[in-house]
Amino acid sequence: MSRTVLTPDGIHPAPGFSHVTIAPPGTTVYIAGQMAIAPDFSVVGGDDLGQQTAAAMRNVKLAMDAAGLTWDDVVRRTIYTTAPTEFGVITAAIEEVQGSDRHPSQTIVGISGLAIAGALIEIEVTGVVPA
């Protein structure tokens, strides 16, 4: 059983995210923020936000695989980025990597910088492995 997503009446449409996500019973898994960082700590994607977002999402997927999560098990996503108004670019890259336009509840936070010089985005997720 995967998550259920809702858009309550009276709230604006949710482009690239869902307002409400209901998790099934199970084990909660917290994936630390992932950036577009290769194993040698080099930044993947240069100064291209779309490429960095896709690379960060691929790192998220590696962590999810280790925990036994699928994209449908993700109930919350938080994005920290130096370009928060570029949510269209971010959403397109996320959808490309996850292979769908089904999004969990999400927050995008604008920041002045990240722990790795040149990194533009960090993505963390919370998921539930069904019972």
Side-chain angles (χ1 to χ4, degrees):
M1 177 180 196
S2 63
R3 68 184 182 209
T4 301
V5 295
L6 306 171
T7 300
D9 290 338
I11 296 180
H12 64 83
F17 68 98
S18 297
H19 285 291
V20 179
T21 305
I22 301 169
T27 301
T28 304
V29 178
Y30 303 91
I31 305 292
Q34 300 296 311
M35 292 183 273
I37 304 298
D40 67 358
F41 279 93
S42 62
V43 176
V44 177
D47 62 358
D48 184 299
L49 179 60
Q51 289 183 26
Q52 280 204 27
T53 301
M57 285 294 287
R58 288 190 296 271
N59 285 342
V60 167
K61 179 66 170 128
L62 290 171
M64 289 171 44
D65 288 347
L69 291 174
T70 69
W71 292 118
D72 279 339
D73 299 325
V74 174
V75 296
R76 180 88 175 126
R77 181 171 56 220
T78 304
I79 297 172
Y80 304 92
T81 180
T82 59
T85 61
E86 296 298 321
F87 54 85
V89 171
I90 293 167
T91 299
I94 287 171
E95 289 178 356
E96 176 185 326
V97 173
Q98 71 182 15
S100 80
D101 64 354
R102 290 193 41 160
H103 297 277
S105 298
Q106 172 182 288
T107 300
I108 296 179
V109 181
I111 49 138
S112 61
L114 290 160
I116 302 291
L120 304 174
I121 191 163
E122 184 169 349
I123 302 170
E124 66 182 22
V125 301
T126 302
V128 177
V129 178

